[in-house]
Amino acid sequence: MSVDKAAISKTVLELEMAFNERWSAGDNRGYLGNYAEEISYFDPTLKDVIVGRDEVIAHIDSIYSNPHIVRSEYLNPVVHVSDGGDFAVLAYNLDTYVLDDDGMERKLRAWNATEAYRLIDGAWRIVHSNWAFTRTAMEAIAS
């Protein structure tokens, strides 16, 4: 069986962009509805990993408000697809922009995003999500 890694990569990236565009417009259910039951989740506001769909959704619902993002830049996307074609890891940088009080765009955040997708019952589901700010240290460190 031949796996079309390019097609899977395209599908995963398109899904991610669609979920993120919904998030940016005030609808977080794209992501939340796609999370697998066993999802693990990191974000920069928490020390520990959250495990389980209900727990992740409860956390996100507790902090989410409509960000009114007017533009997103998806930078340096890389998708690694398993040889079996049922698992893919997407990593990318995301810059988000909002309008300031003068109606001009300003950068809201710069993120490093990593999403692990698994093919479950014919649908690509997020099984691990890791969101981090692009700059959290001022010098290069390894540990």
Side-chain angles (χ1 to χ4, degrees):
M1 175 175 110
S2 176
V3 173
D4 189 343
K5 291 185 178 185
I8 292 169
S9 295
K10 182 177 187 270
T11 297
V12 165
L13 184 57
E14 287 174 352
L15 278 171
E16 183 75 11
M17 292 172 73
F19 298 150
N20 199 29
E21 293 303 314
R22 285 178 63 180
W23 177 280
S24 296
D27 175 10
N28 65 9
R29 291 312 190 224
Y31 274 118
L32 304 186
N34 183 268
Y35 289 157
E37 288 297 323
E38 70 277 12
I39 186 170
S40 51
Y41 179 87
F42 278 116
D43 80 31
T45 67
L46 299 173
K47 177 182 173 193
D48 297 322
V49 64
I50 301 173
V51 178
R53 185 175 186 272
D54 292 342
E55 291 79 3
V56 172
I57 289 172
H59 168 69
I60 291 173
D61 279 343
S62 75
I63 63 171
Y64 180 81
S65 63
N66 185 349
H68 302 286
I69 294 169
V70 296
R71 183 169 63 90
S72 297
E73 291 181 351
Y74 301 87
L75 307 169
N76 311 308
V78 177
V79 182
H80 300 281
V81 178
S82 70
D83 290 340
D86 61 347
F87 192 81
V89 177
L90 166 64
Y92 64 102
N93 306 106
L94 177 68
D95 289 349
T96 58
Y97 296 84
V98 295
L99 297 179
D100 65 17
D101 292 337
D102 297 322
M104 303 297 294
E105 278 188 11
R106 71 168 173 84
K107 186 185 287 186
L108 176 65
R109 300 243 186 327
W111 296 97
N112 294 330
T114 306
E115 303 278 40
Y117 282 81
R118 188 165 49 118
L119 194 59
I120 301 171
D121 296 329
W124 286 100
R125 301 285 183 200
I126 298 172
V127 295
H128 179 76
S129 183
N130 186 2
W131 289 87
F133 300 126
T134 58
R135 294 291 307 232
T136 58
M138 300 313 287
E139 61 186 60
I141 55 175
S143 60

